[in-house]
Each structure stands twice: as structure tokens, then as C-alpha cells.
Amino acid sequence: MPRHVAIIMDGNGRWAKKRYLPRAMGHRRGVEAVREIVRAAGDMGLEALTLYAFSSENWKRPADEVGDLMGLLKHFIIADIDEFAANGVRLKVIGRYRELAPDIVALIDDAIARTSGNSRTTLAVALNYGAQDELLRATASLAGQIADGTLAADSLTPDHVSAQLDTADMPPLDLLIRTSGEQRLSNFLLWQCAYAELWFTDTLWPDFTRQHLASALADYAARERRFGGR
Ligand code: FPP
């Protein structure tokens, strides 16, 4: 059983296109899938679930689509926070979320504070997240420690880097899932993926259900993880 699963939720646009619907409908159905998978993660006993909701590159999308995604995010936090709070879900955000609109930042901070005492499942939502940016921030912080003499450059270990990442307080990443048939990491959790198992499916994100998650976990259970050993 993996402790920490991450998902690149891809294919909302194609889901909508196949049905001659606007892309916004695909994202809306994508949020329904998020809801089901967060519930399933808790039911299945996952300690942590990290979802790639908005990358630092997603700002390149047309302004109306960015607006749709931000609106859905806002609605999601408002509508779902009570359920999280009641079900032992601790909300966490990774990425530069403080650069989002002030009302969204306030909602996020409130939701984080309200669920900070929960310990059943950590739901980390990646917002304005890019793994290279996360690694640059970690590097700058370590460089500062080296410069002020609190850390010796020749004593650096992977744990020093891990401790500076946005995921520092989460279990190691065991399994990365990407939907919609694409097979790339798209600047998501690059450091954390070092020994993660990768699982790809052609299913588009709005069609992804708890049965798909269960299949991924079953495949994971059958894999032999060696972490470079033999
Ligand atoms: C990829 O579909 C999906 C995203 C841009 C991010 C996922 C966003 C959501 C599920 C909705 C908001 C999330 C939360 C947590 C409220 P795409 O548009 O890249 O699809 P395409 O590749 O088929 O065009």
C-alpha cells in the first residue's frame, strides 16, 4: 500500500471537446473527479495525496480559462472545506500560492488553519507550482545557510534538500499517476519522483473514478521496488 500518491490530472479539455462542450465544463467535471478521489483516498487509507491543480506554466493559457480554473478552485475550497474538516483531511498547498488573488489566498489560509489539526489524510494541492521553481527556492535557502555558516557545503545530503521542499512534512512519494495518455512529468515533483513508481492511464481526468485509483494501487502492490538495490 503506498503512503503517498500524486496525480497529474490531465485531459479535462479533451473530455469536453469529445462532447462538443466548452473547456470550462471539462474542468468542472474535473473538480467532481477531485472530490471523489479525495474521498476514496481517505477510505483507502492513503496518508497523503498530492494533486497538480495549477502549474506555474498554466498562466500561459487564455485569461478566461485561467479565470475559470481560479473560480472553480475558489468554489471547491468554499464548498468542500466542511467535509474535509469533518473527515480528518488536512489541507496543504504546495507552490507559490501567495501569488494568487488575495481573496483566494485568504480562503486557502483559512482552510489550512481549519484543518491543521487533522491527521487522517493530507491533501496537498499544487497551485502555481513548478518543481524547478521549488528546487530553486530550496537551493537558495541552502545557499543562505551555507553563507551564514549554519551548514557546511561538504556535509550536504539529499535529506537537506528534501527538508527545504514544499513537501517536507509529507511521506516520501510512492506512486505518481498521470491520466489522459500523456507520459511526461511536466515539471511536477521532480525530486520527489526519484524512486516513485509511475502509472499511466488513457482515461481522461473527468472519467477517473475510485475504481481507477484502486487499479493503480493494485498494480503498485504487485511491483517490486528496489530503490537502486537488487
Ligand atoms: C488538465 O486538463 C487539467 C488542468 C489544467 C488542471 C486540473 C484542474 C482541475 C481538475 C480543476 C481544478 C482543481 C481543483 C483542485 C479545484 P487540460 O485542460 O490540460 O486537458 P487537455 O490536455 O485535454 O486540454
Side-chain angles (χ1 to χ4, degrees):
M1 182 73 186
R3 297 175 67 196
H4 182 179
V5 174
I7 309 182
I8 301 177
M9 310 179 290
D10 198 4
N12 296 347
R14 276 161 286 165
W15 183 94
K17 194 172 179 191
K18 265 172 56 180
R19 290 163 179 77
Y20 304 100
L21 292 169
R23 289 179 66 82
M25 277 304 294
H27 293 315
R28 197 176 299 179
R29 288 296 291 265
V31 177
E32 297 296 320
V34 167
R35 216 165 257 140
E36 175 173 348
I37 293 310
V38 174
R39 286 182 189 137
D43 295 344
M44 294 174 187
L46 290 183
E47 277 176 61
L49 175 69
T50 300
L51 300 178
Y52 207 2
F54 194 86
S55 79
S56 43
E57 287 75 35
N58 284 153
W59 297 109
K60 292 181 206 152
R61 295 190 178 204
D64 60 340
E65 185 173 354
V66 171
D68 288 339
L69 285 165
M70 291 298 153
L72 284 169
L73 172 67
K74 214 166 128 174
H75 182 258
F76 172 74
I77 299 170
I78 294 170
D80 289 65
I81 188 64
D82 289 337
E83 182 179 326
F84 294 162
N87 289 346
V89 176
R90 177 174 77 105
L91 181 74
K92 181 182 162 71
V93 173
I94 64 169
R96 294 182 185 244
Y97 78 95
R98 295 201 169 277
E99 292 168 10
L100 302 182
D103 59 333
I104 298 186
V105 175
L107 276 172
I108 291 171
D109 284 337
D110 177 62
I112 291 173
R114 274 191 60 197
T115 59
S116 63
N118 285 348
S119 55
R120 194 161 83 113
T121 309
T122 296
L123 169 64
V125 181
L127 293 173
N128 196 17
Y129 174 88
Q132 290 182 339
D133 173 69
E134 180 190 37
L135 282 162
L136 288 177
R137 287 185 279 117
T139 305
S141 166
L142 292 170
Q145 291 176 37
I146 291 168
D148 69 19
T150 52
L151 179 68
D154 58 6
S155 71
L156 265 179
T157 65
D159 286 344
H160 286 107
V161 176
S162 296
Q164 296 301 323
L165 300 178
D166 297 348
T167 51
D169 59 347
M170 301 177 77
L173 182 64
D174 296 311
L175 175 65
L176 176 88
I177 295 172
R178 182 168 189 151
T179 61
S180 90
E182 310 290 348
Q183 303 195 356
R184 52 178 174 265
L185 294 178
S186 298
N187 202 14
F188 191 47
L189 303 177
L190 297 181
W191 177 275
Q192 297 86 338
C193 277
Y195 289 105
E197 294 292 325
L198 308 180
W199 194 86
F200 300 105
T201 175
D202 288 339
T203 303
L204 304 176
W205 176 250
D207 291 327
F208 193 89
T209 62
R210 65 168 62 219
Q211 284 74 35
H212 294 99
L213 180 61
S215 299
L217 299 193
D219 286 351
Y220 172 89
R223 292 192 194 176
E224 187 194 348
R225 299 183 77 198
R226 290 202 292 265
F227 300 97
R230 51 172 296 204

PDB file of all heavy atoms in Angstrom, residues 175 197-200 218-225:
ATOM      1  N   LEU A 175       3.924   6.742  -5.496  1.00  0.00           N
ATOM      2  CA  LEU A 175       3.254   6.448  -6.760  1.00  0.00           C
ATOM      3  C   LEU A 175       2.797   7.741  -7.421  1.00  0.00           C
ATOM      4  O   LEU A 175       2.153   8.571  -6.775  1.00  0.00           O
ATOM      5  CB  LEU A 175       2.042   5.543  -6.473  1.00  0.00           C
ATOM      6  CG  LEU A 175       1.106   5.201  -7.626  1.00  0.00           C
ATOM      7  CD1 LEU A 175       1.834   4.359  -8.680  1.00  0.00           C
ATOM      8  CD2 LEU A 175      -0.122   4.426  -7.101  1.00  0.00           C
ATOM      9  N   GLU A 197       7.017   4.984  -8.206  1.00  0.00           N
ATOM     10  CA  GLU A 197       6.502   4.182  -9.308  1.00  0.00           C
ATOM     11  C   GLU A 197       5.609   5.086 -10.152  1.00  0.00           C
ATOM     12  O   GLU A 197       4.914   5.959  -9.612  1.00  0.00           O
ATOM     13  CB  GLU A 197       5.665   3.006  -8.764  1.00  0.00           C
ATOM     14  CG  GLU A 197       6.470   1.993  -7.973  1.00  0.00           C
ATOM     15  CD  GLU A 197       7.450   1.213  -8.847  1.00  0.00           C
ATOM     16  OE1 GLU A 197       7.120   0.928 -10.012  1.00  0.00           O
ATOM     17  OE2 GLU A 197       8.558   0.900  -8.363  1.00  0.00           O
ATOM     18  N   LEU A 198       5.650   4.880 -11.476  1.00  0.00           N
ATOM     19  CA  LEU A 198       4.843   5.708 -12.376  1.00  0.00           C
ATOM     20  C   LEU A 198       3.707   4.864 -12.950  1.00  0.00           C
ATOM     21  O   LEU A 198       3.914   3.701 -13.310  1.00  0.00           O
ATOM     22  CB  LEU A 198       5.718   6.264 -13.501  1.00  0.00           C
ATOM     23  CG  LEU A 198       7.007   6.975 -13.061  1.00  0.00           C
ATOM     24  CD1 LEU A 198       7.782   7.476 -14.281  1.00  0.00           C
ATOM     25  CD2 LEU A 198       6.723   8.129 -12.108  1.00  0.00           C
ATOM     26  N   TRP A 199       2.527   5.446 -13.037  1.00  0.00           N
ATOM     27  CA  TRP A 199       1.356   4.703 -13.531  1.00  0.00           C
ATOM     28  C   TRP A 199       0.576   5.603 -14.476  1.00  0.00           C
ATOM     29  O   TRP A 199       0.155   6.697 -14.094  1.00  0.00           O
ATOM     30  CB  TRP A 199       0.472   4.288 -12.355  1.00  0.00           C
ATOM     31  CG  TRP A 199      -0.580   3.261 -12.657  1.00  0.00           C
ATOM     32  CD1 TRP A 199      -0.418   1.909 -12.644  1.00  0.00           C
ATOM     33  CD2 TRP A 199      -1.971   3.484 -12.963  1.00  0.00           C
ATOM     34  NE1 TRP A 199      -1.617   1.279 -12.923  1.00  0.00           N
ATOM     35  CE2 TRP A 199      -2.583   2.213 -13.122  1.00  0.00           C
ATOM     36  CE3 TRP A 199      -2.752   4.631 -13.112  1.00  0.00           C
ATOM     37  CZ2 TRP A 199      -3.931   2.066 -13.431  1.00  0.00           C
ATOM     38  CZ3 TRP A 199      -4.103   4.480 -13.421  1.00  0.00           C
ATOM     39  CH2 TRP A 199      -4.678   3.204 -13.575  1.00  0.00           C
ATOM     40  N   PHE A 200       0.452   5.155 -15.727  1.00  0.00           N
ATOM     41  CA  PHE A 200      -0.223   5.973 -16.737  1.00  0.00           C
ATOM     42  C   PHE A 200      -1.513   5.297 -17.187  1.00  0.00           C
ATOM     43  O   PHE A 200      -1.572   4.069 -17.290  1.00  0.00           O
ATOM     44  CB  PHE A 200       0.702   6.166 -17.946  1.00  0.00           C
ATOM     45  CG  PHE A 200       2.001   6.846 -17.601  1.00  0.00           C
ATOM     46  CD1 PHE A 200       3.195   6.130 -17.527  1.00  0.00           C
ATOM     47  CD2 PHE A 200       2.032   8.210 -17.327  1.00  0.00           C
ATOM     48  CE1 PHE A 200       4.394   6.753 -17.193  1.00  0.00           C
ATOM     49  CE2 PHE A 200       3.227   8.842 -16.996  1.00  0.00           C
ATOM     50  CZ  PHE A 200       4.402   8.117 -16.930  1.00  0.00           C
ATOM     51  N   ALA A 218      -3.512  -1.492  -6.915  1.00  0.00           N
ATOM     52  CA  ALA A 218      -3.295  -2.937  -7.076  1.00  0.00           C
ATOM     53  C   ALA A 218      -2.031  -3.180  -7.907  1.00  0.00           C
ATOM     54  O   ALA A 218      -1.218  -4.052  -7.572  1.00  0.00           O
ATOM     55  CB  ALA A 218      -4.511  -3.584  -7.731  1.00  0.00           C
ATOM     56  N   ASP A 219      -1.848  -2.413  -8.987  1.00  0.00           N
ATOM     57  CA  ASP A 219      -0.632  -2.570  -9.801  1.00  0.00           C
ATOM     58  C   ASP A 219       0.607  -2.212  -8.980  1.00  0.00           C
ATOM     59  O   ASP A 219       1.637  -2.879  -9.070  1.00  0.00           O
ATOM     60  CB  ASP A 219      -0.694  -1.666 -11.044  1.00  0.00           C
ATOM     61  CG  ASP A 219      -1.662  -2.217 -12.084  1.00  0.00           C
ATOM     62  OD1 ASP A 219      -2.136  -3.355 -11.905  1.00  0.00           O
ATOM     63  OD2 ASP A 219      -1.948  -1.505 -13.066  1.00  0.00           O
ATOM     64  N   TYR A 220       0.483  -1.170  -8.197  1.00  0.00           N
ATOM     65  CA  TYR A 220       1.608  -0.745  -7.340  1.00  0.00           C
ATOM     66  C   TYR A 220       2.004  -1.895  -6.399  1.00  0.00           C
ATOM     67  O   TYR A 220       3.182  -2.202  -6.232  1.00  0.00           O
ATOM     68  CB  TYR A 220       1.214   0.495  -6.528  1.00  0.00           C
ATOM     69  CG  TYR A 220       2.225   0.889  -5.488  1.00  0.00           C
ATOM     70  CD1 TYR A 220       3.268   1.763  -5.802  1.00  0.00           C
ATOM     71  CD2 TYR A 220       2.149   0.384  -4.188  1.00  0.00           C
ATOM     72  CE1 TYR A 220       4.206   2.119  -4.845  1.00  0.00           C
ATOM     73  CE2 TYR A 220       3.087   0.733  -3.231  1.00  0.00           C
ATOM     74  CZ  TYR A 220       4.110   1.597  -3.561  1.00  0.00           C
ATOM     75  OH  TYR A 220       5.044   1.938  -2.626  1.00  0.00           O
ATOM     76  N   ALA A 221       0.985  -2.534  -5.807  1.00  0.00           N
ATOM     77  CA  ALA A 221       1.244  -3.603  -4.828  1.00  0.00           C
ATOM     78  C   ALA A 221       1.996  -4.769  -5.475  1.00  0.00           C
ATOM     79  O   ALA A 221       2.738  -5.483  -4.803  1.00  0.00           O
ATOM     80  CB  ALA A 221      -0.067  -4.091  -4.221  1.00  0.00           C
ATOM     81  N   ALA A 222       1.807  -4.943  -6.800  1.00  0.00           N
ATOM     82  CA  ALA A 222       2.444  -6.065  -7.493  1.00  0.00           C
ATOM     83  C   ALA A 222       3.859  -5.729  -7.956  1.00  0.00           C
ATOM     84  O   ALA A 222       4.577  -6.594  -8.446  1.00  0.00           O
ATOM     85  CB  ALA A 222       1.586  -6.475  -8.684  1.00  0.00           C
ATOM     86  N   ARG A 223       4.240  -4.465  -7.840  1.00  0.00           N
ATOM     87  CA  ARG A 223       5.581  -4.097  -8.323  1.00  0.00           C
ATOM     88  C   ARG A 223       6.634  -4.335  -7.245  1.00  0.00           C
ATOM     89  O   ARG A 223       6.345  -4.220  -6.060  1.00  0.00           O
ATOM     90  CB  ARG A 223       5.604  -2.626  -8.740  1.00  0.00           C
ATOM     91  CG  ARG A 223       4.760  -2.378  -9.972  1.00  0.00           C
ATOM     92  CD  ARG A 223       5.023  -1.010 -10.526  1.00  0.00           C
ATOM     93  NE  ARG A 223       4.004  -0.642 -11.501  1.00  0.00           N
ATOM     94  CZ  ARG A 223       3.958   0.550 -12.090  1.00  0.00           C
ATOM     95  NH1 ARG A 223       4.853   1.467 -11.801  1.00  0.00           N
ATOM     96  NH2 ARG A 223       3.004   0.798 -12.959  1.00  0.00           N
ATOM     97  N   GLU A 224       7.833  -4.600  -7.713  1.00  0.00           N
ATOM     98  CA  GLU A 224       8.932  -4.810  -6.771  1.00  0.00           C
ATOM     99  C   GLU A 224       9.774  -3.543  -6.761  1.00  0.00           C
ATOM    100  O   GLU A 224      10.332  -3.154  -7.792  1.00  0.00           O
ATOM    101  CB  GLU A 224       9.764  -6.006  -7.238  1.00  0.00           C
ATOM    102  CG  GLU A 224      10.823  -6.418  -6.265  1.00  0.00           C
ATOM    103  CD  GLU A 224      11.844  -7.372  -6.887  1.00  0.00           C
ATOM    104  OE1 GLU A 224      11.572  -7.875  -8.002  1.00  0.00           O
ATOM    105  OE2 GLU A 224      12.893  -7.572  -6.270  1.00  0.00           O
ATOM    106  N   ARG A 225       9.848  -2.887  -5.626  1.00  0.00           N
ATOM    107  CA  ARG A 225      10.617  -1.638  -5.558  1.00  0.00           C
ATOM    108  C   ARG A 225      11.997  -1.944  -5.001  1.00  0.00           C
ATOM    109  O   ARG A 225      12.136  -2.555  -3.950  1.00  0.00           O
ATOM    110  CB  ARG A 225       9.885  -0.618  -4.687  1.00  0.00           C
ATOM    111  CG  ARG A 225       8.530  -0.292  -5.253  1.00  0.00           C
ATOM    112  CD  ARG A 225       7.853   0.759  -4.435  1.00  0.00           C
ATOM    113  NE  ARG A 225       8.366   2.093  -4.693  1.00  0.00           N
ATOM    114  CZ  ARG A 225       8.184   3.122  -3.870  1.00  0.00           C
ATOM    115  NH1 ARG A 225       7.571   2.950  -2.718  1.00  0.00           N
ATOM    116  NH2 ARG A 225       8.644   4.314  -4.182  1.00  0.00           N
TER     117      ARG A 225
END
